[in-house]
Amino acid sequence: MTKLSEQLADLSAQAKSAEDAVTAAEKEAHDKVVARKEQARVAASAAVEKVNQEIKSANDTAARNWSAVKAKVAADLNDLKANVAKAKHDLGAKRADNYAEELEWEAGVAIDYAIASIQQARYAVLDAVAGRVEAEQAKRA
């Protein structure tokens, strides 16, 4: 494929050539203008044929490239779907992990509360026993 800068240089040269031909034709006799016109028609036909060939070649290449692009897009889309599914799974697993940690913390607090309740019950029972002993001693005294 021709570089764009080369195509632009060719375009510039062609435009200058057309400009020169018009300037010369304005000064020439009718026969020479008709001959120049015929040369321009032949050159234009050749240029159109070249463009048609390039388009046909580009279409063939484009069809191949389009198939490759479609395959690439499909593969990228599948990768994206897999990444989204993994992210959802990871997020679900992370949420489940966070929820489990929250439940474990709540259970730990409940156990600590139960331990504190048992300690309070022990204290209350020993206080009651001590109170009973003191009451019995007071009766004897």
Side-chain angles (χ1 to χ4, degrees), residues 85-117:
K86 183 181 182 321
K88 282 183 179 180
H89 173 268
D90 291 347
L91 182 58
K94 181 67 175 170
R95 284 185 180 158
D97 190 46
N98 288 344
Y99 184 63
E101 287 180 15
E102 183 178 320
L103 291 175
E104 289 169 349
W105 178 83
E106 288 178 7
V109 169
I111 290 169
D112 288 343
Y113 183 77
I115 290 170
S117 294

Side-chain angles (χ1 to χ4, degrees), residues 9 15 39 62 68 72 76 87-88 96 99 107 112-113 121-122 126 131 137:
Q39 287 174 343
K72 172 84 169 104
D76 289 349
K88 282 183 179 180
Y99 184 63
D112 288 343
Y113 183 77
R122 174 193 275 173
L126 292 175
Q137 287 176 349

Side-chain angles (χ1 to χ4, degrees), residues 55-136:
I55 289 172
K56 184 179 183 303
S57 175
N59 283 338
D60 294 343
T61 301
R64 284 191 305 274
N65 290 345
W66 180 244
S67 294
V69 167
K70 287 193 309 187
K72 172 84 169 104
V73 168
D76 289 349
L77 188 57
N78 287 338
D79 288 345
L80 180 62
K81 285 178 182 178
N83 289 339
V84 167
K86 183 181 182 321
K88 282 183 179 180
H89 173 268
D90 291 347
L91 182 58
K94 181 67 175 170
R95 284 185 180 158
D97 190 46
N98 288 344
Y99 184 63
E101 287 180 15
E102 183 178 320
L103 291 175
E104 289 169 349
W105 178 83
E106 288 178 7
V109 169
I111 290 169
D112 288 343
Y113 183 77
I115 290 170
S117 294
I118 290 170
Q119 294 299 328
Q120 288 177 343
R122 174 193 275 173
Y123 176 76
V125 168
L126 292 175
D127 193 36
V129 169
R132 180 53 57 201
V133 169
E134 289 172 10
E136 289 299 321

